Amino acid sequence: MMALTTKEDLDSIKSWLKKGKAVALTGAGISAESGIPTFRGKGGLWEKYDPEIFANAEELLSTFRQKPERIVDFLSDLYSLLLQAKPNPGHFALAKMEEKGILDCVITQNIDDLHNLAGSRKVFELHGNAFHLRCEKCFRRMGLDREKLADLINKMNKYKNSKWKLLRLFSQFFPKCTCLARFRIDIVLFGEMLDYDILSKANQAVNNCSLLFLIGTSGVVYPAAQLPFAAKEKGAKIVEINNNPSELSYICDYQILGKAGEILPEFIK
Ligand code: APR
């Protein structure tokens, strides 16, 4: 592994890009410059909310029964960040790379929808998308209107201390599917299975790429963190872009220490 500092290194990555298609695997770091603090970083969501509770379906339900206001606070904090966030130059550079035919797809662990908003077309969202609803039984999905979502957050705060009013609000907002199960927010919680189809397409993409950009992820959450190993095994070069070394730095061929929003635009020059 080498920390990239010179123009020669950049040229060598660019020459690899010409040998075949690249894939980008992104994590919370790419959205940090859009104003969404990373999960495990300072000021991140997991500093204020214990992920053992707030990223776990059963614990979320039992917290709702005992202290519904905690769930309202969590959802308000999460969505106030997500609703105001706009794609940054890092997201736009990846969309441009796809348009130019250099990048095959983006595989992301993020739920913030920012790759789609930036114009990336082939995006595999391993952990779901906070702006979609998904049927908990048949996995049918539908988009969530951003204005309706903002309205839900406002109403939730108004009814914060009444479990029954909140339940009525939720039952209106999360309709029943044609299969009769209920829709929920399309986010994969800890301990839940990833969507099989999305994960297999992500695996297929890394197995066929010549270069994998590993961007803004701590590399501690599986099965996402296994994808770079699969790419490497098939001979792809791994280029890490992160402002700090990660758990996966040791398998990377190049390491570019810095902000994704400043580094990625270099590849479309
Ligand atoms: N540019 C590049 N990298 C950055 C930047 C930046 N501007 N800012 C922070 N980073 C890096 C951090 O150094 C860290 O390695 O982004 C990484 C963010 O790590 P995490 O907070 O652990 O986020 P992520 O790896 O996406 O988490 C994976 O864990 O909590 C679950 O489901 C959640 O999808 C999430 C998964």
Side-chain angles (χ1 to χ4, degrees):
M1 183 193 53
M2 59 207 281
L4 185 83
T5 45
T6 65
K7 187 180 172 305
E8 285 71 37
D9 295 330
L10 197 60
D11 287 344
S12 129
I13 296 174
K14 283 184 177 170
S15 72
W16 265 96
L17 283 174
K18 288 184 189 138
K19 294 187 184 153
K21 281 212 173 176
V23 164
L25 172 61
T26 66
I30 194 167
S31 298
E33 290 154 78
S34 295
I36 306 176
T38 58
F39 288 99
R40 294 172 181 79
K42 204 168 169 288
L45 215 55
W46 297 156
E47 202 174 75
K48 189 165 169 193
Y49 298 99
D50 181 355
E52 298 290 328
I53 295 172
F54 291 91
N56 176 300
E58 275 177 30
E59 293 291 337
L60 273 172
L61 276 178
S62 93
T63 306
F64 180 76
R65 278 188 216 108
Q66 291 157 31
K67 294 180 190 159
E69 70 281 4
R70 287 290 289 146
I71 303 296
V72 172
D73 289 343
F74 173 65
L75 288 174
S76 300
D77 282 351
L78 175 67
Y79 277 102
S80 65
L81 287 171
L82 297 179
L83 281 163
Q84 54 77 35
K86 303 264 181 303
N88 68 54
H91 298 103
F92 286 121
L94 291 178
K96 193 81 196 158
M97 282 161 79
E98 182 183 1
E99 193 187 304
K100 285 183 158 196
I102 308 169
L103 190 79
D104 173 40
C105 65
V106 174
I107 303 168
T108 188
Q109 298 166 86
N110 301 343
I111 55 166
D112 55 28
D113 206 31
L114 294 180
H115 287 299
N116 300 316
L117 290 183
S120 284
R121 286 163 174 268
K122 200 168 160 192
V123 183
F124 299 122
E125 293 168 318
L126 297 175
H127 297 164
N129 182 318
F131 296 97
H132 294 164
L133 290 181
R134 150 166 65 85
C135 168
E136 52 192 4
K137 193 169 158 204
C138 72
F139 272 53
R140 197 158 76 90
R141 289 187 169 84
M142 60 163 127
L144 262 181
D145 187 276
R146 286 174 181 251
E147 274 178 29
K148 256 175 95 179
L149 199 44
D151 185 44
L152 171 79
I153 303 296
N154 280 334
K155 287 191 174 134
M156 257 175 22
N157 276 296
K158 215 165 105 191
Y159 304 149
K160 199 170 172 173
N161 295 310
S162 165
K163 196 164 38 182
W164 303 112
K165 283 190 181 165
L166 283 173
L167 274 175
R168 203 166 56 215
L169 183 66
F170 289 154
S171 70
Q172 286 161 2
F173 192 80
F174 301 108
K176 278 197 175 168
C177 176
T178 45
C179 79
L180 297 182
R182 207 168 269 288
F183 279 96
R184 57 172 265 189
I185 297 173
D186 183 18
I187 297 179
V188 179
L189 298 169
F190 284 177
E192 292 183 331
M193 299 281 282
L194 271 62
D195 182 305
Y196 177 79
D197 187 46
I198 294 175
L199 184 60
S200 6
K201 284 180 179 149
N203 263 306
Q204 209 178 340
V206 295
N207 280 325
N208 290 301
C209 72
S210 58
L211 187 145
L212 180 79
F213 284 108
L214 186 59
I215 307 163
T217 177
S218 53
V220 295
V221 173
Y222 284 76
Q226 178 273 330
L227 295 170
F229 291 93
K232 186 141 184 114
E233 225 171 86
K234 290 279 161 106
K237 293 279 177 203
I238 316 284
V239 179
E240 175 165 68
I241 299 172
N242 195 313
N243 58 1
N244 283 301
S246 76
E247 290 293 313
L248 297 175
S249 296
Y250 76 99
I251 69 157
C252 296
D253 298 281
Y254 296 96
Q255 186 184 43
I256 312 179
L257 288 175
K259 293 182 175 176
E262 288 169 8
I263 294 159
L264 284 166
E266 286 297 319
F267 294 99
I268 47 169
K269 278 183 187 161

